[in-house]
Amino acid sequence: MANTPLSRAMSGTVDPRLRPLPDRVVELLSELGGPPRLAAHLRAVHDVAHQLVDWVEQHCPAALFDREAVLFGAATHDVGKTVHVSELSGPGAAHEEAGRTLLLAHGVAPELARFAATHASWARPGVALEDLLVSLADKVWKNKRVPELEDLVVARLAGASGRAVWEEFMALDEVLARIGDGADERLAFQASFPVHG
């Protein structure tokens, strides 16, 4: 792959050290001509999702969830911004359904494509732990704390572990604070890439 801003954002050696995007996502973003800044954002959120799922697996082994679905969802949650590029630097939710539609059109299974449409709607009925973790990664990567979202995650962890809600809250708060400490570096990484290729 050529050494372009998009390729560096997706899988180049960077500071801070972030895991590269999965090959399937690299191929998709390359095919779509994804904006480098979008790729950098997806990479940062994907890296944070890795940290979250590693922590959940270690802290609460009884919490059943699809690790690979969370990681794919984090790596593709904003893919609709390849169509709605203005939402990279401004508000808007048109990218959510557009992203799901785009992923489905590229052969992504519905259970994986859903994250593009659900990452901002964690309070809806029947939300799965996978969706909550993708939403949480999309917030905490920049050290944004959303108590309502965190409460939902805490409730799932307490239900799985049998520990008291306050214990799960303290444990989650500690890991989110640690992850949040790296937000400035991740934000600088994202900002170092252009919105347009």
Side-chain angles (χ1 to χ4, degrees), residues 166-185:
W166 70 266
E167 289 181 83
E168 293 297 356
F169 171 81
M170 296 297 289
L172 182 65
D173 183 64
E174 183 179 326
V175 74
L176 295 182
R178 181 181 51 75
I179 292 170
D181 286 345
D184 288 345
E185 291 85 3

Side-chain angles (χ1 to χ4, degrees), residues 99-162:
R100 187 182 73 80
T101 301
L102 190 63
L103 290 171
L104 291 171
H106 282 82
V108 175
E111 61 272 13
L112 294 177
R114 78 177 195 260
F115 297 105
T118 64
H119 65 275
S121 56
W122 58 81
R124 73 189 189 292
V127 67
L129 181 56
E130 290 87 353
D131 299 275
L132 295 175
L133 292 172
V134 170
S135 298
L136 189 59
D138 189 35
K139 297 300 181 193
V140 77
W141 81 276
K142 59 183 175 182
N143 203 21
K144 182 173 183 181
R145 302 292 297 266
V146 182
E148 300 84 5
L149 172 57
E150 293 174 22
D151 288 347
L152 292 170
V153 174
V154 164
R156 296 294 176 91
L157 296 176
S161 70

Side-chain angles (χ1 to χ4, degrees), residues 55-136:
W55 177 81
V56 171
E57 287 176 341
Q58 181 178 28
H59 171 76
C60 189
L64 302 178
F65 67 98
D66 184 337
R67 173 190 178 89
E68 294 309 312
V70 172
L71 297 176
F72 185 83
T76 59
H77 73 282
D78 274 348
V79 73
K81 291 182 181 180
T82 59
V83 177
H84 298 280
V85 179
S86 65
E87 293 183 14
L88 275 171
S89 55
H95 72 278
E96 294 167 11
E97 187 54 39
R100 187 182 73 80
T101 301
L102 190 63
L103 290 171
L104 291 171
H106 282 82
V108 175
E111 61 272 13
L112 294 177
R114 78 177 195 260
F115 297 105
T118 64
H119 65 275
S121 56
W122 58 81
R124 73 189 189 292
V127 67
L129 181 56
E130 290 87 353
D131 299 275
L132 295 175
L133 292 172
V134 170
S135 298
L136 189 59

